PDB file of all heavy atoms in Angstrom:
ATOM      1  N   HIS A  63    -144.092 -32.150  -2.894  1.00  0.00           N
ATOM      2  CA  HIS A  63    -143.218 -32.725  -1.855  1.00  0.00           C
ATOM      3  C   HIS A  63    -143.614 -32.192  -0.483  1.00  0.00           C
ATOM      4  O   HIS A  63    -143.726 -32.950   0.490  1.00  0.00           O
ATOM      5  CB  HIS A  63    -141.751 -32.369  -2.133  1.00  0.00           C
ATOM      6  CG  HIS A  63    -141.153 -33.056  -3.313  1.00  0.00           C
ATOM      7  ND1 HIS A  63    -141.137 -34.424  -3.455  1.00  0.00           N
ATOM      8  CD2 HIS A  63    -140.543 -32.545  -4.426  1.00  0.00           C
ATOM      9  CE1 HIS A  63    -140.532 -34.747  -4.592  1.00  0.00           C
ATOM     10  NE2 HIS A  63    -140.180 -33.628  -5.201  1.00  0.00           N
ATOM     11  N   LEU A  64    -143.824 -30.895  -0.413  1.00  0.00           N
ATOM     12  CA  LEU A  64    -144.187 -30.269   0.860  1.00  0.00           C
ATOM     13  C   LEU A  64    -145.513 -30.809   1.379  1.00  0.00           C
ATOM     14  O   LEU A  64    -145.659 -31.099   2.571  1.00  0.00           O
ATOM     15  CB  LEU A  64    -144.276 -28.755   0.678  1.00  0.00           C
ATOM     16  CG  LEU A  64    -144.559 -27.927   1.930  1.00  0.00           C
ATOM     17  CD1 LEU A  64    -143.429 -28.062   2.929  1.00  0.00           C
ATOM     18  CD2 LEU A  64    -144.774 -26.456   1.557  1.00  0.00           C
ATOM     19  N   ALA A  65    -146.477 -30.954   0.490  1.00  0.00           N
ATOM     20  CA  ALA A  65    -147.809 -31.441   0.888  1.00  0.00           C
ATOM     21  C   ALA A  65    -147.725 -32.817   1.530  1.00  0.00           C
ATOM     22  O   ALA A  65    -148.437 -33.112   2.497  1.00  0.00           O
ATOM     23  CB  ALA A  65    -148.733 -31.481  -0.326  1.00  0.00           C
ATOM     24  N   SER A  66    -146.838 -33.647   1.023  1.00  0.00           N
ATOM     25  CA  SER A  66    -146.714 -35.000   1.578  1.00  0.00           C
ATOM     26  C   SER A  66    -146.248 -34.979   3.029  1.00  0.00           C
ATOM     27  O   SER A  66    -146.580 -35.867   3.813  1.00  0.00           O
ATOM     28  CB  SER A  66    -145.747 -35.835   0.734  1.00  0.00           C
ATOM     29  OG  SER A  66    -144.428 -35.310   0.812  1.00  0.00           O
ATOM     30  N   SER A  67    -145.493 -33.939   3.398  1.00  0.00           N
ATOM     31  CA  SER A  67    -145.010 -33.839   4.780  1.00  0.00           C
ATOM     32  C   SER A  67    -146.002 -33.133   5.697  1.00  0.00           C
ATOM     33  O   SER A  67    -145.909 -33.243   6.921  1.00  0.00           O
ATOM     34  CB  SER A  67    -143.664 -33.107   4.815  1.00  0.00           C
ATOM     35  OG  SER A  67    -143.821 -31.757   4.439  1.00  0.00           O
ATOM     36  N   LEU A  68    -146.953 -32.402   5.120  1.00  0.00           N
ATOM     37  CA  LEU A  68    -147.928 -31.662   5.932  1.00  0.00           C
ATOM     38  C   LEU A  68    -149.168 -32.477   6.269  1.00  0.00           C
ATOM     39  O   LEU A  68    -149.907 -32.140   7.186  1.00  0.00           O
ATOM     40  CB  LEU A  68    -148.362 -30.389   5.192  1.00  0.00           C
ATOM     41  CG  LEU A  68    -147.290 -29.361   4.852  1.00  0.00           C
ATOM     42  CD1 LEU A  68    -147.922 -28.160   4.176  1.00  0.00           C
ATOM     43  CD2 LEU A  68    -146.529 -28.921   6.103  1.00  0.00           C
ATOM     44  N   ARG A  69    -149.388 -33.523   5.517  1.00  0.00           N
ATOM     45  CA  ARG A  69    -150.661 -34.253   5.590  1.00  0.00           C
ATOM     46  C   ARG A  69    -151.000 -34.735   6.996  1.00  0.00           C
ATOM     47  O   ARG A  69    -152.171 -34.752   7.388  1.00  0.00           O
ATOM     48  CB  ARG A  69    -150.613 -35.434   4.626  1.00  0.00           C
ATOM     49  CG  ARG A  69    -151.970 -36.063   4.342  1.00  0.00           C
ATOM     50  CD  ARG A  69    -151.847 -37.108   3.248  1.00  0.00           C
ATOM     51  NE  ARG A  69    -151.394 -36.528   1.994  1.00  0.00           N
ATOM     52  CZ  ARG A  69    -152.212 -35.972   1.102  1.00  0.00           C
ATOM     53  NH1 ARG A  69    -153.506 -35.906   1.353  1.00  0.00           N
ATOM     54  NH2 ARG A  69    -151.730 -35.495  -0.020  1.00  0.00           N
ATOM     55  N   ASN A  70    -149.989 -35.110   7.762  1.00  0.00           N
ATOM     56  CA  ASN A  70    -150.249 -35.663   9.097  1.00  0.00           C
ATOM     57  C   ASN A  70    -149.865 -34.719  10.232  1.00  0.00           C
ATOM     58  O   ASN A  70    -149.746 -35.140  11.382  1.00  0.00           O
ATOM     59  CB  ASN A  70    -149.488 -36.991   9.251  1.00  0.00           C
ATOM     60  CG  ASN A  70    -149.966 -38.036   8.270  1.00  0.00           C
ATOM     61  OD1 ASN A  70    -151.167 -38.190   8.053  1.00  0.00           O
ATOM     62  ND2 ASN A  70    -149.028 -38.749   7.664  1.00  0.00           N
ATOM     63  N   MET A  71    -149.702 -33.450   9.922  1.00  0.00           N
ATOM     64  CA  MET A  71    -149.349 -32.472  10.959  1.00  0.00           C
ATOM     65  C   MET A  71    -150.621 -31.963  11.634  1.00  0.00           C
ATOM     66  O   MET A  71    -151.274 -31.048  11.147  1.00  0.00           O
ATOM     67  CB  MET A  71    -148.538 -31.320  10.357  1.00  0.00           C
ATOM     68  CG  MET A  71    -147.158 -31.735   9.921  1.00  0.00           C
ATOM     69  SD  MET A  71    -146.123 -30.312   9.488  1.00  0.00           S
ATOM     70  CE  MET A  71    -144.630 -31.161   8.949  1.00  0.00           C
ATOM     71  N   THR A  72    -150.940 -32.530  12.745  1.00  0.00           N
ATOM     72  CA  THR A  72    -152.213 -32.253  13.426  1.00  0.00           C
ATOM     73  C   THR A  72    -152.244 -30.902  14.136  1.00  0.00           C
ATOM     74  O   THR A  72    -153.310 -30.416  14.495  1.00  0.00           O
ATOM     75  CB  THR A  72    -152.506 -33.356  14.455  1.00  0.00           C
ATOM     76  OG1 THR A  72    -151.412 -33.430  15.388  1.00  0.00           O
ATOM     77  CG2 THR A  72    -152.670 -34.699  13.762  1.00  0.00           C
ATOM     78  N   GLU A  73    -151.071 -30.294  14.356  1.00  0.00           N
ATOM     79  CA  GLU A  73    -151.007 -29.019  15.079  1.00  0.00           C
ATOM     80  C   GLU A  73    -150.868 -27.813  14.155  1.00  0.00           C
ATOM     81  O   GLU A  73    -150.755 -26.684  14.625  1.00  0.00           O
ATOM     82  CB  GLU A  73    -149.835 -29.033  16.064  1.00  0.00           C
ATOM     83  CG  GLU A  73    -149.940 -30.103  17.147  1.00  0.00           C
ATOM     84  CD  GLU A  73    -151.184 -29.923  18.004  1.00  0.00           C
ATOM     85  OE1 GLU A  73    -151.470 -28.770  18.387  1.00  0.00           O
ATOM     86  OE2 GLU A  73    -151.844 -30.922  18.300  1.00  0.00           O
ATOM     87  N   LEU A  74    -150.887 -28.029  12.835  1.00  0.00           N
ATOM     88  CA  LEU A  74    -150.624 -26.957  11.885  1.00  0.00           C
ATOM     89  C   LEU A  74    -151.694 -25.873  11.977  1.00  0.00           C
ATOM     90  O   LEU A  74    -152.887 -26.134  11.861  1.00  0.00           O
ATOM     91  CB  LEU A  74    -150.581 -27.529  10.469  1.00  0.00           C
ATOM     92  CG  LEU A  74    -149.948 -26.654   9.393  1.00  0.00           C
ATOM     93  CD1 LEU A  74    -148.487 -26.345   9.722  1.00  0.00           C
ATOM     94  CD2 LEU A  74    -150.039 -27.340   8.039  1.00  0.00           C
ATOM     95  N   ARG A  75    -151.256 -24.617  12.169  1.00  0.00           N
ATOM     96  CA  ARG A  75    -152.169 -23.482  12.312  1.00  0.00           C
ATOM     97  C   ARG A  75    -152.058 -22.469  11.176  1.00  0.00           C
ATOM     98  O   ARG A  75    -153.042 -21.844  10.821  1.00  0.00           O
ATOM     99  CB  ARG A  75    -151.926 -22.766  13.648  1.00  0.00           C
ATOM    100  CG  ARG A  75    -152.218 -23.581  14.884  1.00  0.00           C
ATOM    101  CD  ARG A  75    -152.096 -22.732  16.141  1.00  0.00           C
ATOM    102  NE  ARG A  75    -150.722 -22.301  16.357  1.00  0.00           N
ATOM    103  CZ  ARG A  75    -150.276 -21.062  16.155  1.00  0.00           C
ATOM    104  NH1 ARG A  75    -151.103 -20.125  15.704  1.00  0.00           N
ATOM    105  NH2 ARG A  75    -149.015 -20.739  16.375  1.00  0.00           N
ATOM    106  N   GLU A  76    -150.853 -22.286  10.622  1.00  0.00           N
ATOM    107  CA  GLU A  76    -150.658 -21.245   9.616  1.00  0.00           C
ATOM    108  C   GLU A  76    -149.794 -21.759   8.470  1.00  0.00           C
ATOM    109  O   GLU A  76    -148.739 -22.359   8.706  1.00  0.00           O
ATOM    110  CB  GLU A  76    -149.993 -20.011  10.247  1.00  0.00           C
ATOM    111  CG  GLU A  76    -150.791 -19.416  11.396  1.00  0.00           C
ATOM    112  CD  GLU A  76    -150.057 -18.254  12.049  1.00  0.00           C
ATOM    113  OE1 GLU A  76    -149.320 -17.534  11.335  1.00  0.00           O
ATOM    114  OE2 GLU A  76    -150.224 -18.068  13.273  1.00  0.00           O
ATOM    115  N   VAL A  77    -150.249 -21.494   7.235  1.00  0.00           N
ATOM    116  CA  VAL A  77    -149.510 -21.913   6.039  1.00  0.00           C
ATOM    117  C   VAL A  77    -149.389 -20.718   5.100  1.00  0.00           C
ATOM    118  O   VAL A  77    -150.397 -20.136   4.686  1.00  0.00           O
ATOM    119  CB  VAL A  77    -150.240 -23.071   5.316  1.00  0.00           C
ATOM    120  CG1 VAL A  77    -149.508 -23.438   4.024  1.00  0.00           C
ATOM    121  CG2 VAL A  77    -150.351 -24.287   6.236  1.00  0.00           C
ATOM    122  N   TYR A  78    -148.151 -20.347   4.748  1.00  0.00           N
ATOM    123  CA  TYR A  78    -147.876 -19.232   3.847  1.00  0.00           C
ATOM    124  C   TYR A  78    -147.000 -19.718   2.691  1.00  0.00           C
ATOM    125  O   TYR A  78    -145.821 -20.021   2.890  1.00  0.00           O
ATOM    126  CB  TYR A  78    -147.158 -18.100   4.596  1.00  0.00           C
ATOM    127  CG  TYR A  78    -147.905 -17.617   5.819  1.00  0.00           C
ATOM    128  CD1 TYR A  78    -147.476 -17.957   7.103  1.00  0.00           C
ATOM    129  CD2 TYR A  78    -149.041 -16.830   5.687  1.00  0.00           C
ATOM    130  CE1 TYR A  78    -148.168 -17.521   8.226  1.00  0.00           C
ATOM    131  CE2 TYR A  78    -149.734 -16.387   6.805  1.00  0.00           C
ATOM    132  CZ  TYR A  78    -149.297 -16.738   8.068  1.00  0.00           C
ATOM    133  OH  TYR A  78    -149.991 -16.302   9.177  1.00  0.00           O
ATOM    134  N   VAL A  79    -147.572 -19.805   1.512  1.00  0.00           N
ATOM    135  CA  VAL A  79    -146.812 -20.254   0.339  1.00  0.00           C
ATOM    136  C   VAL A  79    -147.116 -19.340  -0.859  1.00  0.00           C
ATOM    137  O   VAL A  79    -147.169 -19.795  -2.000  1.00  0.00           O
ATOM    138  CB  VAL A  79    -147.103 -21.727  -0.014  1.00  0.00           C
ATOM    139  CG1 VAL A  79    -146.528 -22.670   1.012  1.00  0.00           C
ATOM    140  CG2 VAL A  79    -148.608 -21.956  -0.173  1.00  0.00           C
ATOM    141  N   PHE A  80    -147.302 -18.064  -0.608  1.00  0.00           N
ATOM    142  CA  PHE A  80    -147.685 -17.160  -1.689  1.00  0.00           C
ATOM    143  C   PHE A  80    -146.527 -16.933  -2.667  1.00  0.00           C
ATOM    144  O   PHE A  80    -145.357 -17.084  -2.334  1.00  0.00           O
ATOM    145  CB  PHE A  80    -148.193 -15.830  -1.128  1.00  0.00           C
ATOM    146  CG  PHE A  80    -147.271 -15.121  -0.175  1.00  0.00           C
ATOM    147  CD1 PHE A  80    -146.301 -14.252  -0.650  1.00  0.00           C
ATOM    148  CD2 PHE A  80    -147.392 -15.304   1.194  1.00  0.00           C
ATOM    149  CE1 PHE A  80    -145.456 -13.585   0.220  1.00  0.00           C
ATOM    150  CE2 PHE A  80    -146.554 -14.632   2.071  1.00  0.00           C
ATOM    151  CZ  PHE A  80    -145.579 -13.779   1.593  1.00  0.00           C
ATOM    152  N   GLN A  81    -146.879 -16.603  -3.910  1.00  0.00           N
ATOM    153  CA  GLN A  81    -145.934 -16.258  -4.977  1.00  0.00           C
ATOM    154  C   GLN A  81    -144.889 -17.348  -5.191  1.00  0.00           C
ATOM    155  O   GLN A  81    -143.685 -17.138  -5.048  1.00  0.00           O
ATOM    156  CB  GLN A  81    -145.266 -14.918  -4.669  1.00  0.00           C
ATOM    157  CG  GLN A  81    -146.258 -13.773  -4.635  1.00  0.00           C
ATOM    158  CD  GLN A  81    -145.648 -12.437  -4.268  1.00  0.00           C
ATOM    159  OE1 GLN A  81    -144.460 -12.347  -3.985  1.00  0.00           O
ATOM    160  NE2 GLN A  81    -146.463 -11.400  -4.263  1.00  0.00           N
ATOM    161  N   ASN A  82    -145.362 -18.536  -5.557  1.00  0.00           N
ATOM    162  CA  ASN A  82    -144.468 -19.681  -5.734  1.00  0.00           C
ATOM    163  C   ASN A  82    -144.648 -20.385  -7.078  1.00  0.00           C
ATOM    164  O   ASN A  82    -144.153 -21.492  -7.238  1.00  0.00           O
ATOM    165  CB  ASN A  82    -144.681 -20.689  -4.598  1.00  0.00           C
ATOM    166  CG  ASN A  82    -143.684 -20.500  -3.470  1.00  0.00           C
ATOM    167  OD1 ASN A  82    -142.484 -20.434  -3.694  1.00  0.00           O
ATOM    168  ND2 ASN A  82    -144.187 -20.415  -2.245  1.00  0.00           N
ATOM    169  N   PHE A  83    -145.368 -19.776  -8.014  1.00  0.00           N
ATOM    170  CA  PHE A  83    -145.593 -20.401  -9.325  1.00  0.00           C
ATOM    171  C   PHE A  83    -146.253 -21.782  -9.193  1.00  0.00           C
ATOM    172  O   PHE A  83    -145.948 -22.703  -9.945  1.00  0.00           O
ATOM    173  CB  PHE A  83    -144.286 -20.512 -10.115  1.00  0.00           C
ATOM    174  CG  PHE A  83    -143.689 -19.196 -10.489  1.00  0.00           C
ATOM    175  CD1 PHE A  83    -142.806 -18.560  -9.632  1.00  0.00           C
ATOM    176  CD2 PHE A  83    -144.018 -18.575 -11.680  1.00  0.00           C
ATOM    177  CE1 PHE A  83    -142.246 -17.333  -9.955  1.00  0.00           C
ATOM    178  CE2 PHE A  83    -143.466 -17.338 -12.018  1.00  0.00           C
ATOM    179  CZ  PHE A  83    -142.582 -16.718 -11.153  1.00  0.00           C
ATOM    180  N   ILE A  84    -147.148 -21.906  -8.229  1.00  0.00           N
ATOM    181  CA  ILE A  84    -147.867 -23.168  -8.033  1.00  0.00           C
ATOM    182  C   ILE A  84    -149.099 -23.170  -8.923  1.00  0.00           C
ATOM    183  O   ILE A  84    -149.917 -22.253  -8.861  1.00  0.00           O
ATOM    184  CB  ILE A  84    -148.288 -23.349  -6.559  1.00  0.00           C
ATOM    185  CG1 ILE A  84    -147.054 -23.298  -5.653  1.00  0.00           C
ATOM    186  CG2 ILE A  84    -149.034 -24.660  -6.374  1.00  0.00           C
ATOM    187  CD1 ILE A  84    -147.384 -23.205  -4.176  1.00  0.00           C
TER     188      ILE A  84
END
Side-chain angles (χ1 to χ4, degrees):
H63 290 304
L64 184 64
S66 65
S67 67
L68 299 182
R69 195 173 298 274
N70 297 317
M71 291 190 183
T72 57
E73 298 300 316
L74 196 60
R75 296 186 294 106
E76 302 176 32
V77 176
Y78 305 105
V79 290
F80 54 87
Q81 297 177 358
N82 264 309
F83 295 89
I84 302 169

